[in-house]
Amino acid sequence: MRWRGQQIGEVDTNALPGLERIDGLVRSVTTPEFAGITFHEVVSRSALNHVPGASAMPFAWTINPYRGCTHACAYCFARGTHEYLDLDGGHDFDSQIIVKTNVAEVLRRELAATSWQHEHVALGTNTDPYQRAEGRYRLMPEIISTLAASGTPFSILTKGTLIRRDLPLLHAAAEEVPVDLSFSIAVFDDALQRSIEPGTPTAAARLDAVRAAADAGFAVTVFLMPVLPHLADSVPALDDALGRIKAAGARRVIYGALHLRPGVKPWFMQWLERQHPELVSSYLGLYPGQSAVAPKGYRTWLAKRVRPLLRVHGLDGSDEDELPMRASRPGPVRTTGPASTTAAPALF
């Protein structure tokens, strides 16, 4: 496909408000292969993002080669981050994608600093590093190689099947440093998946990627998150999901109920009103006002359903609430082959 570029110095009467706020913007490009999507290529000044010490996340550093995500998940936690660019967290988040084209080069410089302590780095905690754009930009191979060469352990969490392209490279990296691979698969009903996650690969395709990663020697974790109340939380639905996860070769499951933070709640509720208006009142009861987390009673009820099924299917598993805080995070544990560490929470 031929990519069309809009250079910074040119006047574009169709430019979206806020693009002048994108630091380091080089050009904006479109292609028929990604109908309705614009990629804004930027020169980034940093690659490593430090997670505030007060955060509950069990890692201190992240890398996000992209901002915005064509997976277009109605529940995506990261939608609010687009508002920092004066873009909205709805359609703009799905269609106006920021691409840090020099991220690996900057990362190499940051990891070479004498102050770098080789702490664990998490990828995929905000927007997916293996969304469709990665097929065009190929940022991940150099990121992986750079982390491994510097002796930095890392984890990847993705809904994308494109990670299969990099499994040989990831296997080689895992011979040098601990590497964790996790897959996010929240919806196993194909019709619901197409509705709520229209840009993601099917659950079957992601399970095939789980199998490929397991066959490559990785102890794969699957994030069964978010569990959608009244849509994917029945015993038959959970039993089917866990059975398919086990059959794909995953070792561990982390599950958790839907979060609706302020930046995503309006967009999710619009989706719910269109697709399942009969559930609007139930969701308003579960997530009233500014409430972002399902009430304790629902989370306890969900755990009572999931835990027996984990045992039935022979899966190690835990609730997201049971994940260790950063201070108590266990050190990496090597397996025979690629390394395994505690997985990072799914945030998208």
Side-chain angles (χ1 to χ4, degrees), residues 6 10-16:
Q6 173 63 50
E10 298 180 8
V11 175
D12 181 3
T13 59
N14 296 317
L16 287 171

Side-chain angles (χ1 to χ4, degrees), residues 206-222:
R206 279 179 266 176
L207 289 168
D208 286 344
V210 170
R211 167 52 65 190
D215 288 347
F218 288 94
V220 178
T221 296
V222 170

